[in-house]
């Protein structure tokens, strides 16, 4: 048995909490303003938007976190040369910890916009600061800081909320009142009957009863109201690999960028347990880790994120508008304006054509394989349908967590649709059984709990008692919202670009001038993470050319 993993705060404390030399602190002074605090003053409170990065010049600051019952736990005490903050400070979001002065304190306050400038202008020092901010966020995720979800572990809404926060890289904690005394104590304190679960306790003290993703995101400060009067250089719809790549390159070249996504950053790539054929990562990397890096990188360059925020329609500004621009109508009634639009919405998961599938989708049928699902399935047999690379990555991950994986494939073999390295990996797993020429024919269960799966092979039906089914059967383009926008689609619903969209169209440009499409949503695209990232970079020069032609000279970032 491998030795237990050391907590991050122990394993990488020096990188999480570095102490800057006096000369390094002096280099930061031009980015901030000095401020004094008296003993006992709160520099930051959980749930409140902080001032940005705080560099301690003199005195000591105690950093603590609160558990679900409000009990305080010490994290670290910062002295002169230390700085407090984590990645939330890049975008001015609410704090997840408390910070208080242990005595008189002198500090340098660097607001979010100046912090982003620091990270770019002071490359080596900025790298040290950025690494610490990211590691601290990872540490908070590891310790379960942030909101508390209370409900049964197998409840469909608990899974929904847990996955939403996990895929957005937000620290949180889940308590099951069936097994946790603290959860039961909280239910008594707030007079919540078990039948009304789940509830979410936000860091600021608010109690939400089975919230939707948008309601939860607003409570946590993940998304705020968008300014309808602001005109961005480019609005990017979709925060997958293509959208985040376009955001990073566009913002790093001085364009004002807004990224919208209806659920989370990372897209389908973010749900991959391990990507082993992405250039530069010979030992592989999880999709979530790769996409979290891209997300933080985009924030470093000042990209504004609105997640979750769903695009509902695309229109051209009225005839009275003073400049060429587009208006995106969002599903919640908000509107945002941009001089150019990049469609990077990727695709949505295909559903199995089985009569009662929807009865089990929130609890027993899964479209990605993450630690959340792995905990539910530990020690059990599961079935997975699919023959592509995403399916293969999921099988490899699940095989390390469950008793057995039944891999159901419609074709004659895996080799026709899956990379060779995954085929070889799967063939060597003793607890994976590949069933070819198989098609799911029925699901059995009640009250949302799957009890058995039936599949047909060579005219014979097989029934097995399996409680969890994973579907990786491809995806359809996420383009329904473009109806009425005059953006041309192909016969499968993917967005046409370049010459295929019309005479004289630039590469990646759609049939509407100023609207571009990249990644999986684009007709003829190569469905690979690297290809999506490449298109995200490739679209930026075309964006610059369009904006220059429309009378908007590209801005130059000032740091």
């Amino acid at each position: 048995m491998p030795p237990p993993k050391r907590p991050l705060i122990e394993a990488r404390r020096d990188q999480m909490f570095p102490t800057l030399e006096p000369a390094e602190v002096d280099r930061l002074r031009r980015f901030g303003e000095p401020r004094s605090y008296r003993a006992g003053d709160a520099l930051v409170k959980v749930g409140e938007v902080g001032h940005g990065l705080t560099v301690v010049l003199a005195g000591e600051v105690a950093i603590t976190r609160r558990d679900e019952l409000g009990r305080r736990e010490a994290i670290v005490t910062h002295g002169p040369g230390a700085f407090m903050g984590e990645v939330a400070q890049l975008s001015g979001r609410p704090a997840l910890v408390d910070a208080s002065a242990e005595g008189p304190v002198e500090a340098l306050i660097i607001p979010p916009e100046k912090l982003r400038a620091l990270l770019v202008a002071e490359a080596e020092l900025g790298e040290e600061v950025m690494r610490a901010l990211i590691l601290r966020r990872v540490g908070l995720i590891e310790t379960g800081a942030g909101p508390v979800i209370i409900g049964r572990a197998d409840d469909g809404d608990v899974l929904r909320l847990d996955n939403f926060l996990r895929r957005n890289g937000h620290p949180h904690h889940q308590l099951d009142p069936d097994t946790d005394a603290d959860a039961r104590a909280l239910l008594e304190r707030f007079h919540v009957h078990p039948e009304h679960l789940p509830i979410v306790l936000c860091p600021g003290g608010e109690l939400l009863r089975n919230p939707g993703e948008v309601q939860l995101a607003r409570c946590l400060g993940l998304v705020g109201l968008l300014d309808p009067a602001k005109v961005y250089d480019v609005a990017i719809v979709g925060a997958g690999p293509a959208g985040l790549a376009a955001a990073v390159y566009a913002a790093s070249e001085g364009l004002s960028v807004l990224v919208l996504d209806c659920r989370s950053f990372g897209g389908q790539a973010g749900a991959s347990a391990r990507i082993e054929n992405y250039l530069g990562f010979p030992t592989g990397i999880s999709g979530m880790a790769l996409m979290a890096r891209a997300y933080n990188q985009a924030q470093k360059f000042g990209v504004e994120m609105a997640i979750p925020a769903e695009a509902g329609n695309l229109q051209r500004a009225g005839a009275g508008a003073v400049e060429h621009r587009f208006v995106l109508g969002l599903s919640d009634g908000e509107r945002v304006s941009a001089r150019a639009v990049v469609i990077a919405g990727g695709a949505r998961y295909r559903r199995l054509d089985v009569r009662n599938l929807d009865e089990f989708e929130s609890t027993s049928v899964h479209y990605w394989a993450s630690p959340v699902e792995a905990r539910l399935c530990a020690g059990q047999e599961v079935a997975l349908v699919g023959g592509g690379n995403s399916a293969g990555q999921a099988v490899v991950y699940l095989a390390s967590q469950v008793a057995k994986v039944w891999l159901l494939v419609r074709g004659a073999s895996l080799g026709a649709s899956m990379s060779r390295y995954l085929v070889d990996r799967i063939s060597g797993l003793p607890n994976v059984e590949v069933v070819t020429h198989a098609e799911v024919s029925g699901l059995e269960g009640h009250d949302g709990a799957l009890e058995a799966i039936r599949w047909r092979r060579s005219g014979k039906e097989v029934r097995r008692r399996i409680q969890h089914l994973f579907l990786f059967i491809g995806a359809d383009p996420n383009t329904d919202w473009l109806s009425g926008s005059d953006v041309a689609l192909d016969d499968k619903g993917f967005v046409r670009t370049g010459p295929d969209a019309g005479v004289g169209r630039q590469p990646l440009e759609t049939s509407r001038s100023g609207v571009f499409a990249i990644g999986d949503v684009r007709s003829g695209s190569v469905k690979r993470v690297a290809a999506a990232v490449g298109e995200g970079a490739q679209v930026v020069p075309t964006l610059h050319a369009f904006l220059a032609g429309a009378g908007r000279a590209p801005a130059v970032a000032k740091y």
Side-chain angles (χ1 to χ4, degrees):
M1 177 180 290
K5 186 178 179 181
R6 293 173 62 196
L8 186 70
I9 196 170
E10 294 180 11
R12 302 183 70 176
R13 176 176 285 273
D14 290 344
Q15 291 181 313
M16 289 179 75
F17 305 113
T19 299
L20 304 179
E21 298 294 333
E24 293 176 316
V25 173
D26 288 340
R27 285 159 56 188
L28 300 183
R29 291 182 184 274
R30 67 187 176 102
F31 297 98
E33 296 290 336
R35 188 172 298 181
S36 300
Y37 298 90
R38 296 172 298 183
D41 281 354
L43 281 73
V44 171
K45 290 183 178 180
V46 169
E48 296 182 0
V49 176
H51 303 295
L53 192 77
T54 301
V55 183
V56 181
L57 303 176
E60 292 187 332
V61 178
I63 308 298
T64 59
R65 64 175 290 264
R66 305 177 202 169
D67 69 8
E68 56 274 4
L69 293 177
R71 297 170 297 210
R72 292 190 179 275
E73 176 186 336
I75 298 177
V76 68
T77 297
H78 289 308
F83 55 88
M84 45 179 281
E86 48 100 24
V87 292
Q89 275 59 62
L90 287 173
S91 52
R93 289 177 174 167
L96 295 169
V97 297
D98 294 307
S100 59
E102 294 284 86
V105 169
E106 298 295 325
L108 183 70
I109 307 298
I110 303 176
E113 65 276 9
K114 292 295 183 65
L115 172 58
R116 295 192 295 266
L118 180 161
L119 295 175
V120 175
E122 293 283 350
E124 292 184 8
L125 187 53
E127 180 182 351
E128 184 176 11
V129 171
M130 188 70 179
R131 182 188 299 114
L133 299 184
I134 293 172
L135 288 174
R136 292 173 188 179
R137 167 55 65 101
V138 175
L140 291 172
I141 292 174
E142 185 181 83
T143 57
V148 180
I149 304 170
I150 301 177
R152 293 184 55 182
D154 59 355
D155 182 279
D157 286 311
V158 170
L159 294 173
R160 171 179 59 83
L161 295 168
D162 197 350
N163 267 308
F164 170 73
L165 292 174
R166 183 189 60 80
R167 294 196 66 187
N168 279 289
H170 198 282
H172 64 286
H173 191 38
Q174 190 264 322
L175 297 177
D176 188 333
D178 290 347
T179 58
D180 193 286
D182 286 347
R184 292 192 292 272
L186 285 167
L187 296 185
E188 292 177 6
R189 176 188 298 180
F190 291 103
H191 308 290
V192 176
H193 194 276
E195 68 184 22
H196 296 146
L197 296 177
I199 60 171
V200 179
L201 300 178
C202 295
E206 301 93 333
L207 185 151
L208 305 179
R209 299 177 186 271
N210 195 16
E213 284 87 345
V214 174
Q215 182 186 6
L216 178 56
R218 291 200 186 282
C219 184
L220 299 178
L222 296 180
V223 63
L225 295 175
L226 295 166
D227 183 358
K230 182 173 182 178
V231 181
Y232 297 89
D233 288 329
V234 57
I236 300 173
V237 181
L244 289 178
V248 167
Y249 285 103
S252 69
E253 295 184 13
L255 299 182
S256 61
V257 181
L258 171 69
V259 174
L260 307 162
D261 197 286
C262 64
R263 182 165 177 79
S264 62
F265 67 80
Q268 292 186 72
S272 295
R274 179 164 294 272
I275 302 172
E276 296 193 55
N277 59 353
Y278 190 78
L279 186 67
F281 294 91
T283 59
I285 183 171
S286 75
M288 186 64 194
L290 182 64
M291 292 297 97
R293 295 181 184 193
Y295 178 76
N296 291 332
Q297 192 175 19
Q299 290 186 95
K300 167 184 173 180
F301 289 113
V303 173
E304 187 173 337
M305 300 285 182
I307 304 173
E310 185 173 7
N313 58 72
L314 172 64
Q315 302 172 2
R316 183 74 175 270
V322 296
E323 61 178 344
H324 176 105
R325 60 186 174 90
F326 297 94
V327 177
L328 282 165
L330 307 186
S331 58
D332 62 0
E334 288 190 271
R335 293 158 64 88
V336 294
S337 298
R339 297 178 177 90
V341 173
V342 174
I343 302 167
R348 56 181 178 271
Y349 299 107
R350 285 188 188 137
R351 302 173 73 248
L352 203 62
D353 186 18
V354 176
R355 177 183 55 81
N356 56 343
L357 178 71
D358 58 342
E359 295 179 22
F360 308 107
E361 282 187 307
S362 63
T363 56
S364 304
V365 174
H366 313 287
Y367 293 89
W368 50 80
S370 76
V372 175
E373 290 76 31
R375 288 197 301 269
L376 290 175
C377 305
Q380 302 179 37
E381 290 190 8
V382 303
L384 188 146
V385 183
N389 278 2
S390 294
Q393 290 159 358
V395 167
V396 171
Y397 171 68
L398 288 171
S400 68
Q401 309 290 318
V402 303
K404 183 169 184 175
V405 181
W406 293 86
L407 177 55
L408 309 180
V409 185
R410 294 186 64 178
S413 69
L414 292 176
S417 56
M418 189 180 292
S419 293
R420 187 73 248 167
Y421 80 93
L422 284 169
V423 176
D424 293 341
R425 183 79 52 83
I426 290 170
S427 67
L429 295 172
N431 62 337
V432 175
E433 184 164 339
V434 181
V435 184
T436 58
H437 299 295
E439 187 172 350
V440 175
S441 54
L443 305 176
E444 301 175 14
H446 63 276
D447 298 329
L450 187 63
E451 296 177 349
I453 298 173
R454 302 193 309 272
W455 64 80
R456 188 175 292 106
R457 185 190 188 199
S458 302
K460 296 182 179 180
E461 190 169 66
V462 176
R463 181 185 184 274
R464 291 200 66 87
R465 294 189 62 81
I466 290 175
Q467 297 177 332
H468 291 277
L469 172 65
F470 291 81
L471 299 181
F472 288 81
I473 55 177
D476 296 313
N478 185 20
T479 53
D480 290 348
W481 66 280
L482 292 171
S483 176
S485 67
D486 293 331
V487 172
L489 310 178
D490 67 14
D491 56 359
K492 294 183 179 178
F494 292 91
V495 181
R496 297 181 183 274
T497 57
D500 192 37
V503 177
R505 292 299 179 200
Q506 297 298 311
L508 306 180
E509 188 176 23
T510 72
S511 56
R512 291 198 64 175
S513 178
V515 180
F516 306 84
I518 57 177
D520 288 1
V521 76
R522 189 179 68 81
S523 180
S525 65
V526 177
K527 305 301 188 282
R528 290 287 186 273
V529 175
V533 171
E535 291 188 5
Q538 183 184 353
V539 77
V540 175
T542 312
L543 268 173
H544 275 298
F546 168 76
L547 292 171
R552 162 50 165 106
V556 176
K558 299 177 177 63
Y559 297 116

